[in-house]
Amino acid sequence: MERELVQSINPMRIQWCLDDRGVDVATCAAETGIGEKTLLKALTGVPALSFNQLNKLAGYFGRGVLFFLESAPVVEAKVHSPAFRTLANQKPELSPKLRVLIQRVERQREVFVSLREDLDEEAAPKFQAPRLNRGDVESAAATVRKWLNLGPKNSFPTYREAIEAKGILVFRSNGYAGKWQIAKENPILGFSLYDAECPVIFVKKTRYESRQSFTLMHELAHVLLDRRSWIDDEDDLYGDSEAEQTANKFAGLVLVPPSFLDEIRDRDRPSDVSGYDAWLEPQRDQWGVSTEVILRRLHNARRLSKENYLAYRRYAKRHESETEDASGGSRYRSREPKHVFGEPFVRLVLDAVNAQRITLNRASTYLDSLKISDLKMLEQHCAGL
C-alpha cells in the first residue's frame, strides 16, 4: 500500500529553514534519513513527504509540523525571539546546531511557564530580581550571595539548586552526543536568555564541574546586572569589555567572597605554578571552584602577581584534558533529563502527568524523548524511592 503524502507543504518554508540553519539539501537528507531526491521534489512544491518524514524534518529544524503547512512566507521577527536575535547578533558565527539549541531552550522555557500557570504550582517560584547597584560590584555580589542563601561549602549542584530556587531555570548540556549537547570543539561555554518572569541559564557540561560553577555565576551576572540575554565563549570569559569584566568580577566575588581568602596562607604558596593545584585543593573542594578562580581573586586582592597568575593559566592550558564525562550516559538514561533540565523542570512535568494535565507521551516529549519505562524510573528517583 502506498504511503499517504502530506499535502499543502510550503516549500518556501523548507528553503528558509535550510538557509537559516546553513545547510544544503544533501546535508539535510543525510542527517534526517530522508532521501535527497524526495527533499528536492518537496522543494518544488510537489507532495513528496509522508507525515513521519515531515515530522523528522520539523524536529531537525526545531520547528513544529504546522510551521511547514502555513501558506504565508516566514517573518523572521516572528519566528526568532528578541532574545535569540540578541545572541545571534552577538555571535553571527554561531553554528547551525547551536542556533537550533537556543531555540529549543526557549521552547522548554515556554513549556515550563505554561505548566506552572496551569498547575498554579507554588513549588516553582517566579523570578524576582534583587535590587542591585551595578556600579558597586562588591556590594552586588554580597547581596546576591545572601539572596541565594549560600553556605560555606558548595559545588556546582548546590549553586544550581540555589539559583533554581529563585525562579531561574538552569540547563546543562548533555555530556554525550545528543540534541542538548554543545560539541566539545565548540568554544561556547554558556548563555543566558533573559525574561522578566523566568530567565534561563544554559551551561556547557565539562569534565570538571568547578569550571561550570564559574560559567554559571558569570551568566547569572548578565541576568541580574545587565538584565539582557547573553552568550559567552572561552575568549569572552577573559575579555576586556566592561560587561565581561564586570561579570567576571561578580562571579569571582560570589564564589569566593573576601572573607574566604583569609583561609589561604601566602607563605605556603609553592614557588612553581605546577604546585598551585595541590596548594589550593582544600579550598577548591570546599568552595566548588577551580584553582584559576581562586588565583584570580588573589590577584585582584593584590596577593598574587599577574605574572604568576598568567603563568598558571599557561601551565593549566598545557595540561588540560577536557574529555567528555560518561556520567549521565545510557546507564543512567532515566536521570539524564534531571541533569539537563534541572529538578524544578522535571518535577513540574511529572506533577502535570499526575494531575492528568498532560499524557505520558507528552511528558516524554518534554523530557528529551525519554522512554515510558525510563520516565517511571525518573519519577521514582525524584521521589527518593
Side-chain angles (χ1 to χ4, degrees):
M1 187 174 75
E2 290 189 13
R3 60 177 185 165
E4 186 175 351
L5 302 179
V6 179
Q7 307 294 315
S8 303
I9 294 176
N10 186 340
M12 292 187 296
R13 289 187 166 237
I14 299 178
Q15 186 63 57
W16 183 88
C17 286
L18 289 169
D19 295 339
D20 184 58
R21 182 155 179 169
V23 297
D24 55 21
V25 174
T27 301
C28 179
E31 295 186 354
T32 61
I34 302 173
E36 185 174 350
K37 290 183 178 179
T38 299
L39 284 175
L40 288 170
K41 189 175 180 181
L43 283 168
T44 67
V46 176
L49 298 173
S50 67
F51 179 82
N52 285 338
Q53 288 175 320
L54 182 59
N55 195 39
K56 283 184 180 179
L57 196 67
Y60 176 70
F61 288 122
R63 300 288 164 195
V65 169
L66 295 179
F67 174 85
F68 296 95
L69 302 180
E70 294 185 26
S71 58
V74 175
V75 179
E76 187 165 350
K78 294 182 178 180
V79 174
H80 290 323
S81 71
F84 176 89
R85 295 198 298 272
T86 296
L87 301 192
N89 289 336
Q90 287 178 12
K91 302 286 184 186
E93 71 282 5
L94 281 179
S95 70
K97 287 186 178 180
L98 194 54
R99 291 168 67 92
V100 171
L101 174 62
I102 293 168
Q103 295 173 76
R104 192 173 285 128
V105 170
E106 287 190 306
R107 284 194 295 277
Q108 287 292 87
R109 177 176 60 191
E110 291 170 2
V111 166
F112 181 82
V113 171
S114 177
L115 290 178
R116 184 175 62 183
E117 292 177 351
D118 191 32
L119 292 172
D120 191 25
E121 185 63 48
E122 294 182 359
K126 289 187 177 181
F127 170 65
Q128 286 187 317
R131 299 185 66 177
L132 303 174
N133 180 1
R134 192 182 187 281
D136 187 349
V137 181
E138 291 85 354
S139 173
T143 298
V144 168
R145 190 172 175 88
K146 291 179 181 178
W147 180 64
L148 294 175
N149 196 29
L150 296 177
K153 182 175 177 59
N154 283 288
S155 62
F156 176 78
T158 64
Y159 289 129
R160 179 183 193 174
E161 182 181 355
I163 292 173
E164 289 174 332
K166 296 300 182 180
I168 301 173
L169 289 175
V170 178
F171 291 177
R172 180 172 64 171
S173 66
N174 286 128
Y176 57 88
K179 63 183 181 180
W180 295 98
Q181 185 195 47
I182 297 180
K184 177 187 172 184
E185 61 273 11
N186 193 310
I188 296 298
L189 294 178
F191 59 85
S192 53
L193 298 173
Y194 182 75
D195 181 84
E197 288 189 5
C198 184
V200 184
I201 294 174
F202 192 98
V203 176
K204 180 180 182 179
K205 182 178 175 63
T206 58
R207 182 180 181 183
Y208 302 107
E209 286 194 331
S210 57
R211 294 191 64 184
Q212 298 169 185
S213 297
F214 186 80
T215 301
L216 176 61
M217 291 304 175
H218 183 97
E219 296 306 323
L220 182 64
H222 290 313
V223 170
L224 298 181
L225 298 179
D226 299 309
R227 300 201 177 190
R228 58 175 295 193
S229 301
W230 213 278
I231 186 165
D232 290 288
D233 59 27
E234 293 176 356
D235 290 338
D236 293 325
L237 264 62
Y238 301 107
D240 56 5
S241 71
E242 180 185 356
E244 297 297 6
Q245 287 188 341
T246 297
N248 283 340
K249 185 176 182 180
F250 172 89
L253 286 164
V254 172
L255 294 169
V256 185
S259 61
F260 280 25
L261 296 181
D262 295 338
E263 298 181 22
I264 300 172
R265 297 187 297 183
D266 294 341
R267 65 176 180 269
D268 293 338
R269 184 173 66 239
S271 58
D272 192 292
V273 297
S274 62
Y276 283 5
D277 287 328
W279 170 46
L280 297 173
E281 183 177 2
Q283 288 78 22
R284 291 203 322 270
D285 292 345
Q286 179 79 4
W287 305 334
V289 300
S290 66
T291 297
E292 184 177 340
V293 169
I294 301 175
L295 293 176
R296 183 183 296 185
R297 288 286 294 113
L298 288 171
H299 169 61
N300 291 340
R302 302 183 184 276
R303 290 175 53 184
L304 183 75
S305 70
K306 185 175 183 180
E307 179 182 2
N308 282 353
Y309 169 65
L310 293 177
Y312 174 81
R313 276 185 54 189
R314 291 191 295 269
Y315 163 80
K317 192 69 175 177
R318 289 196 304 269
H319 293 78
E320 191 175 65
S321 178
E322 284 292 311
T323 55
E324 290 181 356
D325 189 346
S327 64
S330 57
R331 181 181 174 187
Y332 302 102
R333 177 63 179 122
S334 63
R335 302 182 188 180
E336 188 64 7
K338 184 179 173 182
H339 295 314
V340 175
F341 308 125
E343 188 165 340
F345 183 93
V346 170
R347 283 191 178 278
L348 198 64
V349 172
L350 295 176
D351 287 347
V353 172
N354 292 329
Q356 298 184 338
R357 302 298 177 89
I358 60 174
T359 64
L360 280 171
N361 287 333
R362 178 61 64 185
S364 170
T365 301
Y366 294 156
L367 298 176
D368 195 23
S369 302
L370 204 62
K371 293 180 180 178
I372 301 301
S373 58
D374 286 330
L375 190 64
K376 293 179 179 179
M377 292 175 63
L378 174 63
E379 186 172 19
Q380 291 176 346
H381 170 69
C382 289
L385 301 178

